[in-house]
Amino acid sequence: MPDSVSAAPKPIETRESVVIRFAGDSGDGMQVTGTQFTNATALAGNDLATLPDFPAEIRAPAGTLAGVSAFQLNFSSSDIFTPGDELDVLVAMNPAALRANLGDLRPGGLLVVDREGFTEHNLTKAGYETNPLENHSLAGYRVVPIDITRLTTAALKDLGLSARAVFRCRNFFSLGVMAWLYTRPTEPIENWIRHRFKGELVEANLRAFRAGLAFGENTELLPVAYQVQRAVIAPGTYRNITGNLATALGFVAAAQKAGRPLFLGSYPITPASDVLHELAALKQFDVHTFQAEDEIAGIGAALGAAFAGAIAITTTSGPGMNLKAETLGLALAIELPLVVTDIQRAGPSTGMPTKTEQADLLMAMYGRHGEAPVPILAAATPGDCFHMAFEAVRIAVKYMTPVVLLTDGYLANGSEPWPIPSVDQLADIPVRFRTDPTSFYPYLRDEETLARPWVIPGTPGLEHRVGGLEKDVLTGNVSYAPANHEQMVRLRARKIAGIAREVPPTEVFGPPDGELLLLGWGSTYGSIREATRQLQNEGLRVAHAHLRYLNPFPSDLGALLGRYRRVLVPEINLGQLVRLVRAEFLVPAVGFNKVQGRPFKVSEIAERARKLLRNERLEESAA
Amino acid sequence: MPDSVSAAPKPIETRESVVIRFAGDSGDGMQVTGTQFTNATALAGNDLATLPDFPAEIRAPAGTLAGVSAFQLNFSSSDIFTPGDELDVLVAMNPAALRANLGDLRPGGLLVVDREGFTEHNLTKAGYETNPLENHSLAGYRVVPIDITRLTTAALKDLGLSARAVFRCRNFFSLGVMAWLYTRPTEPIENWIRHRFKGELVEANLRAFRAGLAFGENTELLPVAYQVQRAVIAPGTYRNITGNLATALGFVAAAQKAGRPLFLGSYPITPASDVLHELAALKQFDVHTFQAEDEIAGIGAALGAAFAGAIAITTTSGPGMNLKAETLGLALAIELPLVVTDIQRAGPSTGMPTKTEQADLLMAMYGRHGEAPVPILAAATPGDCFHMAFEAVRIAVKYMTPVVLLTDGYLANGSEPWPIPSVDQLADIPVRFRTDPTSFYPYLRDEETLARPWVIPGTPGLEHRVGGLEKDVLTGNVSYAPANHEQMVRLRARKIAGIAREVPPTEVFGPPDGELLLLGWGSTYGSIREATRQLQNEGLRVAHAHLRYLNPFPSDLGALLGRYRRVLVPEINLGQLVRLVRAEFLVPAVGFNKVQGRPFKVSEIAERARKLLRNERLEESAA
Amino acid sequence: MSVFTKKDFVSDQDVRWCPGCGDYAILAQVQKILPELGVPRENFVFVSGIGCSSRFPYYVNTYGVHSIHGRAPAVATGIKMTRPELSVWIVTGDGDALSIGGNHLIHILRRNLDVNILLFNNRIYGLTKGQYSPTSEVGKLTKSTPQGSVDHPFDPIALALGAGASFVARSIDVETKHLQHVLKRAHAHRGAAFIEILQNCNVFNDGAFDALTDKASKSEHTVVLEHGKPLVFGADRTRGVRLRSDLRPEVVTLGTGVGEDELLVYDETNPMHAQIAASLQGPSFPTAIGVFTAVERTCYEDDAQRQVAEAQRRTPPDLQALLMRGDTWTIS
Amino acid sequence: MSVFTKKDFVSDQDVRWCPGCGDYAILAQVQKILPELGVPRENFVFVSGIGCSSRFPYYVNTYGVHSIHGRAPAVATGIKMTRPELSVWIVTGDGDALSIGGNHLIHILRRNLDVNILLFNNRIYGLTKGQYSPTSEVGKLTKSTPQGSVDHPFDPIALALGAGASFVARSIDVETKHLQHVLKRAHAHRGAAFIEILQNCNVFNDGAFDALTDKASKSEHTVVLEHGKPLVFGADRTRGVRLRSDLRPEVVTLGTGVGEDELLVYDETNPMHAQIAASLQGPSFPTAIGVFTAVERTCYEDDAQRQVAEAQRRTPPDLQALLMRGDTWTIS
Ligand SMILES: Cc1ncc(C[n+]2csc(CCOP(=O)(O)OP(=O)(O)O)c2C)c(N)n1
Ligand SMILES: Cc1ncc(C[n+]2csc(CCOP(=O)(O)OP(=O)(O)O)c2C)c(N)n1
Ligand code: SF4
Ligand code: SF4
Ligand SMILES: [Mg+2]
Ligand SMILES: [Mg+2]
């Protein structure tokens, strides 16, 4: 009787944190389910981190491993930095989802499956020879098989929906079960359903959701419910935000704070396209989006827009970044502000477009001919994308330089609760176009920043030409004079190096000196931070520093590195930052590298650090 | 009486070495003059090195500084490594040539000028307010003003040539004077004239040349002639060769030794175009040249040709190199042999196309997204381009990998006497296309080299597909499996690193350990070698090592660097190799950098090394 | 040469297009005609760029290169120049061929390499999940154009003609027989054969060509170009295309005082006819399918190979002599 | 607005083209008409790629960008989209625009940004010292084609038409009056105005257009397109172009039973006329100069700006509200 919520409520136990993953076919609505669970969790006051995992194909054949879509959430009453290494709960809507995800479920973890999905046909498609629900292979887990399809159908029976439509409500049944199990607030989910769906689908999804709740309440398979206490979170208003959305908003905010139009020239590419999509829908903020014929035209148009006085940006991912190199070189030669965002994905070549990687750092540094320095910033978390996008624009404008902003697929699609900044407290980005023709020279530089003046067409008396040939150090006219070239090459380098003066001091999490510094950049932030905390809890003198400015480095970095006996640099590549710090500071930093298209587990980093420290002790005792 | 060679011959003095530069308007034929003087000098058995210097403009207005063209030659009875720092002799055909080149003439040096060129008009165009021939500003030099135009006209008077045609013979008059002064053999020059010109121009140029000879013989301004003894040069047959020609021939030889067609896909760009021009004229060697619509199509077609079984190459310079990045990434992902030659020029951006630089090394290393390693070779001298081009093909084929070959504008257009290799002694490049369908897997690797098999279309039963998505480690089918990706990323890296096994041990010029190692790569070879010799002659324990393999490094390099107290890395950039060795070996190598679009002077390197060693002593005595 | 059947051209890879995608039909027709062309299987090479359409080579059991976005014509050029005996097929999409790859496309057409180019035009970027493409109609609502696209699209046929293509055709994914016919004509043509194949992307641009494919409407909305035949169309073949005196086409109804002899009799070797056929655009005109242009022109690779042969005839290759060219001197 | 003269448009940089280069004449005509256009000098922007021709902006005293090879249309697009009030001129060469930059060219034409594109066609790569270009005739002997080029060239006019250009014209470097006229028409046209300017490179391809420029022969070898006028040419204007029944053009001599009324009366809004004019090629036909096509079509930047204005009207920009969008929660 799913409708009659009877009997005494079940007992509620408290958990500090829970890692849950919803997995199903790409048509099963797992991203929606995960997102709604996340929103409810955020409103419940937990700290949280999420990890969506889309299939690589647009629409892989239903039921296949290639078609599995998943959404993972870690929520907790204490600080959370990662979506979690291991699952406490796996919800698997079909055999393929089970097979693709079971490896991540911790021993004894809770496994919720739609039993009816385990038909012979589906088992075969997933590559199972026998039904795992029946062959004891799942003995190490707490298996809760539910006839989700049947129960959903029953709940919706008098609505007159097609079987297909009913089938598509199954995800809300699962969500209901999980919402009950973790005592999530149901209001926000129901509101969202009312908002999102139309006609009888509102009722259908509400019923499915409530049926799931009721099932949880009544089933013997789930004898207790759990709660996770509110986390101590800094006061403020929060929302969940993905890295790509935060990037887009950061650019809009920066342009607004600069009082200039925002121009995006871009060519679609996974996982960067969403920034284009977001910005295309924000034209009311004087945002101009240009879907170009290719990446070269995207950056070319952006450079033109910069010349014309806009806040100009271009967005792409690795393969497209190659194509932007030549124009990036021109931008730094003609010294115009421009932000190039590379949302990294697994390479080389086409690689694995939907998978994450951090292997474009050295390309950002060196991927152009000639001496062609640019500042490089990297966001550490989804929400940080907002700030780094904003900062990239600020630096570009202040120093009249292109800036490379690095994020990656993990940040782009991952989300975290984000304290919404107050617009009043965002600093203005002063833009001062030169209009005075007296003693005007296109390359006369500001003494402090070495920036040349920004003069836009339409300014009478300041007509001038810029171009990629080497320029006279003052007039900007073409010059082949040997000494002038050297001067210009060094000036361009000094200008970028000088940005270090306003790079904030490196924040260190942990002791100011010690046995080991974990040095990271980009999306590894959470895993490294959590690993560091664990190591610290073990009494190890380990600290974590995370670089958001990769070029120039913070001025305190050399000294900082020198204060730890060892420096370990975990990266989702074969060792790129580690090469830069070794070359720059001659410190024997070592890399810890994983290149699997996915983030580090906390345990992997912690284990690697322990090993390093053990060896150190071994070496010492041997010495 | 120029015709009556009278009186006793003048005395002849011996010089060890001479640096001479011919300079004039671009229409004055200075490159021809220089080249002919060079050929005669080579036949005289001297060692030599040359440096042509073209104007940046196609046809800059006559008489302007922008239009000056020059050709420098250093010849000697001992080993020569550079075209020389300072000029012993400057031949200046007009005021602009004088003004642009005088700074390089050593105090007391010989200055030959065409006095009649010093008209008010020409002086103004060169920016002279008064005539330097008359205002004592040339007092520090031995000035020989000659009425070259009048004397040439006189010698040619009865040939009925236009004034313009006569004017264009002036360069052979100057050549005659210089040939007399340095007792060069006149036969080869006269033969060349007979070969090169047609009709009355043969006679005209011969007469101009002989008039110059006679003038030298008779003039009081040149009281002695000089000779430079034969150098001790390894036996063999020599020719003069520029780097670009040597590169082209190296590729032809490699393809011939591989028994395969040579395919060049290229888009013209300074200073690389000549390789295309040379190869386009060698189709009889089964050479196929494709002038593509851009650099991307150039490398794309080359990659297609590699797939189809050709020895495939592409050539470009910095700006075009940016555009090849994405396809280079594909080439290393699908593991096909391909040589990408970057003939570096001064950047960033369009920079100074006709000037040299070494600033693309880090781009060659890192200028692609993802972990995308390729072997990098660099030629050290013009003639070495032949060997490195050959070697690049060999490595590409053996390891089934794209290879980057670096040369630069200085090597490309500079020339040196080149011992012509015997074709029989060039090693074969074995090409073994797989044809056996049993247990065929497109990515099954050779155990030693890790190369995958080369299978070309047309082979029955071995049909397969390659592409840029990540591939299964064995079948090559698309794979998104995390562990497979890591395995592939590491395999690609290991394959390239493994090439170190056949990189020859680093040759050291000088003591095997000591105070200072000068470490170089590319076209700085001559200057560093000569500087090292000078320092050694001063009794300093200094050695020179020059890298022709930049990736992977020779396996002995780390140990080698450790055997010197200091490592100094002179580069025509802001420090690129130095970053690589610091990162790799954690040695406190320091850079010595000059970025002026031209090579180092020997004295600059020697002086920098002395300073370093002085400081070292200072530091020591202070300690 | 062994006799191949369709299934010899099916590779062992699972086809990963969305269920219902028009690409399936095209794949099937290609696999159907390949065994009929008299070319040994190992001599086929399929080259593609990136996009849903560009996954094509993985599914055809021949040699294949899934290259990079927009660059298939370049790769194909290298293959064909090196090995003219191979049968080279380029598979590309409207984004791959006309957006990032537009330049390579027009250059391979002007050079006239003997390759077949299949452009799957679904008027959308499928693989990147639905942005408008250079063939999308003005006002297209997509993720990247929430207020509608503002660019005037390319007409692929007109662009190919403007580039000087020697063979230009159009077909439709579901017109299996017609598509087979056009594919065979393309193969038979010596030179670059360009085929625009209208293809339904049922996920991001479903129904884009419904008017041309719906049983009910298709005969009113398409006219089949046939060399030497008048342009007649319509369910009962009573409508035709006539040229007005200002050279603009008009649709006329036969019988009502208009005879077939007034209609344009299609000549695929006449460039003006191709232009007129290209200008037939809905809704007022039927869309033309078939061969727009088929003219003879020398192939780039033939001329290039001829130069190699000529050079070899003129100067026998002697590597040692080459190295010794010019002034030499001997030190002993 | 102050009144400018030609010399206000002369920059302080020495012109660095070879003496005798056709570029000088084009520069002079541009500098001549600029003051006559009623645009404040500071509102002009000249954008170029790389090549001899692309040095142009350095010599014009307005705003200018000497960008990178082939990419001028992209840069110009960003300028024009951001600041539609600027008068944007693209200067490019046959290599810059049709080789490396072909794709950007066809895209800016289809999008129809309101810019003027001057393509200096000297049928050679000048700056890199004389390789053949995509407009070089077959068999061209150059450094990179010692046995003659084998590629069929582009016809820039046909390509621009195929890309859907709204304004297409051709003129000649030394035809100063004609060139001025065409430049002014291009400026007056709202939309992308494409002008092919035949230009003599006297160093690497001297005399390429002699037939069209030599006093003696030019009137026999060129026909000037004038809207509403018949296609008449020849020294004594006794020859004309007539259309045959198969729609192919033929040259006829007037008077010999042929009247002017039989000639093609040029209509620059008729796409078929543009195709016919483009097909007129020597030696059997005179080369057409003048405006091939001039049709009205909305400009990309206008539509794009309109969307911004519309969005602003619909949703007033509120940054704080934007940041707060969606589900939020407050911790206190
Ligand atoms: C250099 C580069 N830029 C962008 C992309 C992303 N991308 C892949 S396919 C594609 C467009 C595909 O459209 P189309 O060619 O029409 O193929 P369809 O998927 O519609 O068949 C894009 C933008 C890429 N892979 N590489
Ligand atoms: C990326 C890149 N590739 C190649 C070049 C070399 N390059 C400069 S201009 C040019 C061709 C110029 O031809 P065209 O556009 O016809 O101009 P012209 O000099 O004839 O006026 C080439 C190949 C370059 N500068 N950049
Ligand atoms: S997205 Fe469209 S084009 Fe791509 S496979 Fe799916 S239906 Fe086909
Ligand atoms: S090379 Fe030709 S196009 Fe270039 S400036 Fe000289 S004459 Fe003009
Ligand atoms: Mg498409
Ligand atoms: Mg040109």
Side-chain angles (χ1 to χ4, degrees), chain B residues 57-59 66 267-268 273 276-277 280-281 283 291 293-295 323 350, chain D residues 16 18 50 55 69 99-100 125-127 131-132 143-144 146-147 203-204:
Chain B
E57 322 298 330
I58 309 288
R59 292 275 161 95
Y267 185 67
S273 310
L276 167 63
H277 304 158
K283 298 212 169 74
Q291 181 178 313
E293 58 270 30
D294 66 9
E295 284 84 353
L323 294 170
T350 313
Chain D
R16 290 282 167 80
C18 307
I50 302 288
R55 291 290 181 100
H69 197 29
S99 197
I100 194 168
Y125 292 171
L127 190 70
Q131 300 81 13
Y132 82 115
K143 285 182 191 155
S144 60
Q147 293 171 266
V203 172
F204 297 110

Coordinates of all heavy atoms in Angstrom, one line a residue, chain B residues 57-59 66 267-268 273 276-277 280-281 283 291 293-295 323 350, chain D residues 16 18 50 55 69 99-100 125-127 131-132 143-144 146-147 203-204:
Chain B
E57 N 63.0 43.6 -47.2 CA 62.1 43.9 -48.3 C 62.4 43.2 -49.6 O 63.6 42.8 -49.8 CB 62.1 45.4 -48.6 CG 62.3 46.4 -47.5 CD 61.2 46.3 -46.5 OE1 60.0 46.0 -46.9 OE2 61.4 46.5 -45.3
I58 N 61.4 42.9 -50.4 CA 61.7 42.3 -51.7 C 62.6 43.2 -52.5 O 63.7 42.8 -52.9 CB 60.4 42.1 -52.5 CG1 59.3 41.5 -51.7 CG2 60.6 41.4 -53.8 CD1 59.5 40.0 -51.4
R59 N 62.2 44.4 -52.7 CA 63.0 45.4 -53.4 C 62.9 46.7 -52.7 O 62.0 47.5 -53.1 CB 62.5 45.6 -54.9 CG 62.6 44.4 -55.8 CD 64.0 44.4 -56.5 NE 64.2 43.0 -57.0 CZ 63.9 42.6 -58.2 NH1 63.4 43.4 -59.1 NH2 64.2 41.4 -58.5
A66 N 67.3 50.2 -45.9 CA 66.5 49.0 -46.0 C 66.9 48.1 -47.1 O 66.6 46.9 -47.1 CB 65.0 49.4 -46.1
Y267 N 54.0 24.8 -47.2 CA 53.5 26.1 -47.6 C 54.6 27.1 -47.5 O 55.4 27.1 -46.5 CB 52.3 26.5 -46.6 CG 51.6 27.8 -47.0 CD1 50.8 27.8 -48.2 CD2 51.7 28.9 -46.2 CE1 50.2 29.0 -48.5 CE2 51.0 30.1 -46.6 CZ 50.3 30.1 -47.7 OH 49.6 31.2 -48.1
P268 N 54.8 27.9 -48.5 CA 56.0 28.8 -48.5 C 56.1 29.7 -47.3 O 55.1 30.2 -46.8 CB 55.8 29.6 -49.8 CG 54.9 28.8 -50.7 CD 54.0 28.1 -49.7
S273 N 61.3 28.4 -47.5 CA 60.8 28.1 -48.8 C 61.8 27.4 -49.7 O 61.4 26.6 -50.6 CB 60.3 29.4 -49.5 OG 59.5 30.1 -48.7
L276 N 61.5 23.7 -50.2 CA 60.5 23.4 -51.1 C 61.0 23.6 -52.6 O 60.8 22.7 -53.4 CB 59.2 24.3 -50.9 CG 58.1 24.3 -51.9 CD1 57.5 22.9 -52.2 CD2 57.1 25.3 -51.6
H277 N 61.6 24.7 -52.8 CA 62.1 25.0 -54.1 C 63.1 23.9 -54.6 O 63.1 23.4 -55.7 CB 62.8 26.4 -54.2 CG 61.9 27.5 -53.8 ND1 62.4 28.7 -53.3 CD2 60.5 27.6 -53.7 CE1 61.4 29.5 -53.0 NE2 60.3 28.8 -53.2
A280 N 61.3 20.6 -55.2 CA 60.4 20.6 -56.4 C 61.2 20.4 -57.6 O 60.6 19.9 -58.6 CB 59.7 22.0 -56.4
A281 N 62.5 20.7 -57.6 CA 63.3 20.5 -58.8 C 64.0 19.1 -58.8 O 64.9 18.9 -59.7 CB 64.3 21.6 -58.9
K283 N 62.3 16.0 -58.8 CA 61.3 15.0 -58.9 C 61.8 13.7 -59.5 O 61.2 12.6 -59.3 CB 60.1 15.5 -59.8 CG 59.5 16.7 -59.3 CD 58.0 16.8 -59.6 CE 57.2 17.8 -58.9 NZ 57.5 19.2 -59.3
Q291 N 52.6 22.0 -52.9 CA 52.5 23.3 -52.3 C 51.0 23.4 -51.8 O 50.1 23.6 -52.6 CB 52.8 24.4 -53.3 CG 52.7 25.8 -52.6 CD 53.1 26.9 -53.6 OE1 54.2 26.8 -54.3 NE2 52.3 27.9 -53.7
E293 N 47.6 24.6 -49.4 CA 46.9 25.9 -49.2 C 47.3 26.6 -47.9 O 47.1 27.8 -47.7 CB 45.4 25.7 -49.3 CG 44.8 24.7 -48.3 CD 44.7 23.3 -48.9 OE1 45.6 23.0 -49.7 OE2 43.8 22.6 -48.4
D294 N 47.8 25.8 -47.0 CA 48.4 26.4 -45.7 C 49.2 25.3 -45.1 O 49.4 24.2 -45.6 CB 47.2 26.9 -44.8 CG 46.3 25.8 -44.3 OD1 46.6 24.6 -44.5 OD2 45.3 26.2 -43.7
E295 N 49.7 25.7 -43.9 CA 50.6 24.8 -43.2 C 49.9 23.6 -42.7 O 50.5 22.5 -42.5 CB 51.3 25.5 -42.0 CG 52.4 26.4 -42.4 CD 51.9 27.8 -42.8 OE1 50.7 28.0 -42.9 OE2 52.8 28.7 -43.0
L323 N 50.7 26.3 -36.6 CA 49.6 25.7 -37.3 C 49.7 24.2 -37.5 O 48.8 23.5 -37.8 CB 49.4 26.4 -38.6 CG 49.0 27.9 -38.5 CD1 49.1 28.5 -39.9 CD2 47.6 28.0 -38.0
T350 N 54.9 37.6 -36.4 CA 55.6 37.7 -37.6 C 57.1 38.1 -37.4 O 58.0 37.7 -38.1 CB 54.9 38.7 -38.6 OG1 53.5 38.4 -38.5 CG2 55.4 38.6 -40.0
Chain D
R16 N 57.3 50.6 -48.9 CA 58.4 49.6 -49.1 C 58.1 48.6 -50.2 O 58.7 47.5 -50.3 CB 58.7 48.8 -47.8 CG 59.3 49.6 -46.7 CD 60.8 49.8 -47.0 NE 61.4 50.8 -46.2 CZ 61.8 50.7 -44.9 NH1 61.7 49.5 -44.4 NH2 62.4 51.7 -44.3
C18 N 58.3 47.3 -54.1 CA 59.3 47.4 -55.2 C 58.8 48.6 -56.1 O 57.6 48.8 -56.4 CB 59.3 46.2 -56.1 SG 59.6 44.7 -55.2
I50 N 49.1 39.0 -44.2 CA 50.5 39.1 -44.5 C 50.7 38.9 -46.0 O 50.1 38.0 -46.6 CB 51.4 38.0 -43.7 CG1 51.1 38.1 -42.2 CG2 52.9 38.2 -44.0 CD1 51.8 39.3 -41.5
R55 N 50.9 44.9 -46.5 CA 51.6 46.0 -45.9 C 50.8 47.3 -45.9 O 51.1 48.3 -45.3 CB 52.9 46.3 -46.6 CG 54.0 45.2 -46.4 CD 54.5 45.2 -45.0 NE 55.5 44.2 -44.8 CZ 56.8 44.4 -44.8 NH1 57.2 45.7 -45.0 NH2 57.7 43.5 -44.6
H69 N 48.8 35.9 -41.3 CA 48.6 35.4 -42.7 C 47.2 34.8 -42.8 O 46.9 33.7 -42.2 CB 49.7 34.5 -43.1 CG 49.8 34.2 -44.6 ND1 49.4 35.2 -45.5 CD2 50.2 33.1 -45.3 CE1 49.7 34.7 -46.7 NE2 50.1 33.4 -46.6
S99 N 44.5 31.4 -50.4 CA 45.2 30.2 -50.0 C 44.9 29.9 -48.5 O 43.9 29.4 -48.2 CB 46.7 30.3 -50.3 OG 47.3 29.1 -50.3
I100 N 45.8 30.5 -47.7 CA 45.6 30.2 -46.2 C 44.3 30.8 -45.7 O 43.7 30.2 -44.8 CB 46.8 30.7 -45.5 CG1 46.9 30.1 -44.1 CG2 46.9 32.2 -45.4 CD1 48.2 30.4 -43.4
Y125 N 52.7 34.7 -55.1 CA 53.1 35.1 -53.8 C 54.3 36.1 -53.9 O 55.4 35.7 -54.3 CB 53.6 33.9 -53.0 CG 52.6 32.9 -52.6 CD1 52.9 31.7 -52.1 CD2 51.2 33.1 -52.9 CE1 52.0 30.7 -51.7 CE2 50.2 32.2 -52.5 CZ 50.6 31.0 -52.0 OH 49.7 30.0 -51.6
G126 N 54.0 37.3 -53.7 CA 55.1 38.3 -53.8 C 56.1 38.3 -52.7 O 57.3 38.1 -52.9
L127 N 55.5 38.4 -51.5 CA 56.4 38.6 -50.3 C 57.4 37.5 -50.1 O 58.5 37.7 -49.7 CB 55.6 38.8 -49.1 CG 56.4 39.3 -47.8 CD1 56.9 40.7 -48.0 CD2 55.6 39.1 -46.6
Q131 N 56.3 32.2 -55.4 CA 55.8 30.9 -55.7 C 54.4 31.1 -56.4 O 53.8 32.2 -56.2 CB 55.6 30.1 -54.4 CG 56.9 29.8 -53.6 CD 57.3 31.0 -52.8 OE1 56.5 32.0 -52.6 NE2 58.5 31.0 -52.3
Y132 N 53.9 30.1 -57.0 CA 52.6 30.3 -57.7 C 51.5 30.3 -56.6 O 51.7 29.9 -55.4 CB 52.3 29.1 -58.6 CG 51.8 27.8 -58.1 CD1 50.6 27.3 -58.4 CD2 52.6 27.1 -57.2 CE1 50.1 26.2 -57.8 CE2 52.2 25.9 -56.7 CZ 50.9 25.4 -57.0 OH 50.4 24.3 -56.5
K143 N 59.4 29.2 -58.7 CA 60.4 28.5 -57.9 C 59.9 27.2 -57.4 O 60.6 26.2 -57.3 CB 60.8 29.3 -56.7 CG 61.7 30.5 -57.1 CD 62.1 31.2 -55.9 CE 62.8 32.6 -56.2 NZ 62.7 33.5 -55.1
S144 N 58.6 27.2 -57.0 CA 58.1 26.0 -56.4 C 57.5 25.0 -57.4 O 57.1 23.9 -57.1 CB 57.1 26.3 -55.3 OG 56.0 27.0 -55.9
P146 N 58.9 24.2 -60.9 CA 59.9 24.3 -62.0 C 59.4 23.6 -63.2 O 59.9 23.9 -64.3 CB 61.2 23.7 -61.4 CG 60.8 22.8 -60.3 CD 59.5 23.5 -59.7
Q147 N 58.5 22.6 -63.1 CA 57.9 22.0 -64.3 C 56.5 22.6 -64.6 O 55.8 22.0 -65.4 CB 57.8 20.5 -64.1 CG 59.2 19.8 -64.0 CD 59.1 18.4 -63.6 OE1 59.3 18.1 -62.4 NE2 58.9 17.5 -64.5
V203 N 57.9 42.2 -60.3 CA 59.1 41.5 -60.0 C 59.0 40.0 -60.3 O 59.8 39.3 -60.9 CB 59.6 41.7 -58.6 CG1 60.8 40.8 -58.2 CG2 60.0 43.2 -58.4
F204 N 57.8 39.4 -59.8 CA 57.7 38.0 -59.9 C 56.6 37.5 -60.9 O 56.5 36.3 -61.2 CB 57.4 37.4 -58.5 CG 58.6 37.6 -57.6 CD1 58.4 38.5 -56.5 CD2 59.8 37.0 -57.8 CE1 59.5 38.7 -55.6 CE2 60.8 37.1 -56.9 CZ 60.7 38.0 -55.8

